[in-house]
Amino acid sequence: MSDFKLKAGALALSAALLTPVAAHAAVEGPSGMDFYDIPSINTPQNGDLIWYRDANVNLGDNAPLSKAFNVMYRSTDSLGAENAVTGTVLISSKEWTGAGERPTLSYAVGTHGLDQSCAPSMQLQAGTDYEIRNIRAALEKGYAVLVTDYQGYTTGATPTYLAGESQAHAALDIFRAASQIPRAGIDAEAPAAVWGFSQGGQTAAWVGQIADDYAPELDLVGVASGGTPADFPVVADYLNGSTGASFLLGGIIGLAEQYPDDIPVDQLASANGKAAIADYKNKCTFEFLFDYMNESLSSYTVGNKDLDELLMVPSIGQRINEQNLGGEGADVPVLLYHGTADEFIPIEQSVELKKDYCRRFDKVTYDVYPSEHIVTLFQAAPTVLTWLDERFAGENPRNSCYSFAADPVSNANPGGGDFIVTLDEWNLDAEILLNTLNQTVELPEDTSITADANITDESLMGDLYVPDFETELNILVNLDVALSVEPVGQIEATNSLSRDGILAINGSTQANVLINAAGFGWLKLPFNCKTIEPANFNLAWEGPIAEFGAGGIVFEGETEFSELECGWMTALFNSLVAGPGQEYSFRLVPPAPERL
């Protein structure tokens, strides 16, 4: 920022503080990157708005957005020191139809990376934030949505990544800051909630534990916390030398930033470690995820000290354990949810968090997804938003503390090797438009795919299952037809995940079509027709990784049915069924969750 702009901002803030009435007067901030340069923090209260500006955000076509603002506001870190935090305030264009004022949701993002360009506010502007789909879904509900960047995305700073209290303070203080923006129309007394997954799940759970003390004036009605790292030593051990090893390195960097005296990373890091830290700080999630996969912490430390040795250092062990959740009760209803196949954060320690809250008679709803980490992030959105709607409506939540269901256990792929996402009997919502008959055949609900998507070697191999089924076809007259789709060989495809979080799939599968019988009701004549050559179905798709869990991956195209062998009915069935131009649509849908 220029000296003139910095002085002008500081003078404006000082003038605003001359009288108590003007203590929270909003100041419009500068354009461009100057917005992220911190002026003198002369505001007296946590959540006070330092400055704001209109923001241009890219949430995709037809986003339900009427106004957007960038904000910088005062908050406090985990040690109680004042800091300045940036974020984004989004006002839905959807009319709020529920009771009372439009509710406000603080959406706590997951891991984004430590470089300033990774800040959610910058990625929302560029349209590259991988959590846009969830944010849009919240706006569709008519909520005002607040997205904190957390501490450390201001110019020249390093994020205090995974410092739980700092993150929770930032997620709470943005409620206060947003209510001070002129023209935003956010009521400071409106019902409020916090939703986050992974790092954001940690943030949301911390909010639930400290909100009554830190922001007692807030009408917080619930927190939704998914994929939550609740027991840091357990999660760290799970990550070390495994698929998600990069998150452990990032956590050490972030916590050392918050606690430099207790986690002296400059003394602990070897030359290789210092180089890795410098490199890591310049990357966002889908860059460092692959660059540091399967690395052990010992490869970065002086004397090759591993995680266990580091945790035995009293100051390090203390600060790591301070991030654990469950030592205090939750002040509001909590939704916890987790995937059994989570390859980054084990589900068992999430279940223990539920039990910790239940022992304190907290209201806990617990949902289990049969999915891995990234899939669960997006698959859970509709269920989470329904739960939030119920909280805003003042309904009592279902309390999983009284459930007799068995504890879920992990079925994640083992770490330390390739990054493999398993699709275990995922539903295939499929239909085929028969060109000659101009009729659509819907495949049965139990149609499924089981496959392994190897993100490391960019392959996808699997099997298609289609149970026999009946449908009605107009073959001269309306007939009840017994059909089979018989897969030939395996699904074979390539997949790639770009460093911008864009997933691409390209492959194919083949299947024969069989007309087993036709007639009326129970009276059917057997025909045993079968295509001479299998039909080929191309499987090509490209889009944001969010669509993988949200059921948004759809394979569409045209194929050709070869001639059929049907005995004396061959000529008729070939004239009606065989030929090119058969259109198909296959949509991948993750298996449904279970509420304990």
Side-chain angles (χ1 to χ4, degrees):
M1 180 193 289
S2 68
D3 289 340
F4 174 79
K5 287 181 179 178
L6 198 154
K7 291 175 181 176
L11 286 172
L13 285 170
S14 298
L17 292 170
L18 287 177
T19 64
V21 174
H24 301 112
V27 175
E28 192 161 355
S31 61
M33 289 302 297
D34 287 347
F35 188 86
Y36 295 87
D37 292 341
I38 305 174
S40 298
I41 303 176
N42 295 319
T43 56
Q45 300 294 329
N46 294 327
D48 280 355
L49 194 61
I50 295 173
W51 56 33
Y52 76 99
R53 69 180 179 189
D54 291 337
N56 294 317
V57 298
N58 180 5
L59 303 181
D61 295 338
N62 303 313
L65 181 69
S66 64
K67 292 179 284 188
F69 305 92
N70 291 138
V71 291
M72 180 185 288
Y73 56 97
R74 171 182 163 147
S75 189
T76 57
D77 68 10
S78 294
L79 295 172
E82 70 174 26
N83 58 20
V85 177
T86 52
T88 306
V89 174
L90 306 167
I91 310 301
S92 176
S93 60
K94 299 285 186 179
E95 182 180 356
W96 173 246
T97 57
E101 296 294 327
R102 181 194 298 272
T104 308
L105 174 69
S106 180
Y107 183 85
V109 299
T111 303
H112 273 50
L114 304 185
D115 188 72
Q116 190 177 31
S117 66
C118 310
S121 58
M122 295 187 186
Q123 295 205 52
L124 288 172
Q125 181 177 352
T128 57
D129 196 295
Y130 67 89
E131 297 194 57
I132 281 175
R133 185 177 178 84
N134 284 359
I135 293 168
R136 279 191 60 144
L139 290 169
E140 288 283 358
K141 289 287 188 177
Y143 310 156
V145 180
L146 321 178
V147 185
T148 179
D149 289 341
Y150 303 128
Q151 177 184 352
Y153 287 105
T154 49
T155 301
T158 296
T160 53
Y161 175 56
L162 297 184
E165 284 197 73
S166 174
Q167 293 169 178
H169 294 161
L172 285 166
D173 285 328
I174 198 170
F175 286 111
R176 295 159 162 164
S179 68
Q180 299 167 32
I181 304 172
R183 299 177 289 109
I186 292 179
D187 189 337
E189 297 181 354
V194 180
W195 171 23
F197 187 86
S198 196
Q199 178 194 11
Q202 177 203 13
T203 301
W206 266 103
V207 164
Q209 293 185 182
I210 70 170
D212 271 4
D213 291 330
Y214 189 80
E217 82 287 357
L218 193 66
D219 183 16
L220 190 69
V221 299
V223 297
S225 170
T228 311
D231 188 319
F232 263 57
V234 169
V235 174
D237 184 65
Y238 194 73
L239 292 171
N240 194 26
S242 192
T243 308
S246 61
F247 302 120
L248 176 57
L249 177 58
I252 294 296
I253 297 170
L255 293 175
E257 187 71 21
Q258 176 66 90
Y259 309 107
D261 294 334
D262 297 319
I263 307 177
V265 72
D266 286 341
Q267 300 174 29
L268 296 169
S270 63
N272 181 54
K274 290 176 181 178
I277 291 170
D279 177 67
Y280 193 105
K281 287 183 177 182
N282 293 315
K283 294 180 175 178
C284 300
T285 302
F286 293 107
E287 296 173 297
F288 61 65
L289 172 62
F290 299 107
D291 291 347
Y292 295 96
M293 189 180 296
N294 300 324
E295 293 287 344
S296 293
L297 203 58
S298 60
S299 64
Y300 307 124
T301 58
V302 174
N304 300 117
K305 290 184 176 64
D306 208 353
L307 177 65
D308 291 343
E309 293 177 84
L310 294 175
L311 291 177
M312 289 178 66
V313 177
S315 63
I316 296 176
Q318 176 187 340
R319 293 306 188 185
I320 296 296
N321 280 288
E322 282 178 1
Q323 312 316 310
N324 291 349
L325 290 157
E328 300 290 337
D331 300 327
V332 294
V334 177
L335 170 63
L336 296 175
Y337 60 100
H338 214 100
T340 58
D342 196 317
E343 69 277 68
F344 300 143
I345 302 174
I347 189 171
E348 288 86 354
Q349 53 90 54
S350 170
V351 173
E352 289 304 312
L353 176 61
K354 172 209 164 194
K355 293 178 179 178
D356 286 339
Y357 287 155
C358 288
R359 279 191 284 268
R360 293 177 171 82
F361 304 102
D362 295 334
K363 295 179 179 178
V364 184
T365 305
Y366 198 93
D367 289 346
V368 180
Y369 289 78
S371 309
E372 58 79 62
H373 193 77
I374 297 172
V375 171
T376 303
L377 165 60
F378 301 106
Q379 184 189 0
T383 303
V384 172
L385 288 166
T386 297
W387 188 87
L388 290 171
D389 274 344
E390 292 167 354
R391 302 293 74 71
F392 288 133
E395 299 177 19
N396 285 322
R398 169 174 172 164
N399 196 336
S400 298
C401 294
Y402 303 118
S403 170
F404 293 102
D407 290 344
V409 295
S410 174
N411 60 351
N413 289 317
D418 287 356
F419 183 9
I420 298 175
V421 176
T422 296
L423 286 63
D424 186 8
E425 295 185 356
W426 280 36
N427 177 252
L428 195 65
D429 183 5
E431 62 182 31
I432 300 173
L433 173 62
L434 299 176
N435 180 42
T436 308
L437 294 176
N438 194 29
Q439 288 183 255
T440 298
V441 174
E442 294 185 359
L443 272 60
E445 292 183 0
D446 291 340
T447 300
S448 65
I449 283 179
T450 295
D452 282 332
N454 189 317
I455 309 299
T456 302
D457 72 10
E458 301 187 340
S459 67
L460 187 153
M461 297 287 291
D463 296 295
L464 174 66
Y465 169 72
V466 185
D468 294 347
F469 65 105
E470 292 188 4
T471 189
E472 186 178 275
L473 292 179
N474 188 351
I475 303 177
L476 300 181
V477 294
N478 286 332
L479 294 176
D480 296 319
V481 181
L483 295 174
S484 296
V485 176
E486 185 180 83
V488 177
Q490 285 194 302
I491 301 166
E492 296 186 9
T494 61
N495 78 83
S496 63
L497 182 59
S498 78
R499 298 194 169 218
D500 294 321
I502 301 300
L503 177 67
I505 301 173
N506 199 328
S508 64
T509 190
Q510 294 184 320
N512 282 310
V513 178
L514 291 78
I515 301 175
N516 299 316
F520 303 97
W522 59 268
L523 181 60
K524 297 183 183 68
L525 296 176
F527 289 107
N528 300 317
C529 298
K530 182 176 181 179
T531 49
I532 297 172
E533 298 290 337
N536 187 70
F537 299 92
N538 288 322
L539 307 176
W541 184 87
E542 183 174 331
I545 186 66
E547 302 298 333
F548 194 36
I553 295 182
V554 180
F555 303 112
E556 296 178 318
E558 290 188 0
T559 189
E560 179 175 354
F561 291 162
S562 71
E563 293 187 352
L564 295 92
E565 291 181 342
C566 303
W568 63 279
M569 295 292 286
T570 295
L572 174 62
F573 280 118
N574 279 335
S575 66
L576 295 174
V577 178
Q582 320 295 342
E583 300 178 20
Y584 61 90
S585 174
F586 304 154
R587 183 170 71 93
L588 281 175
V589 183
E594 175 188 4
R595 176 156 290 175
L596 297 185

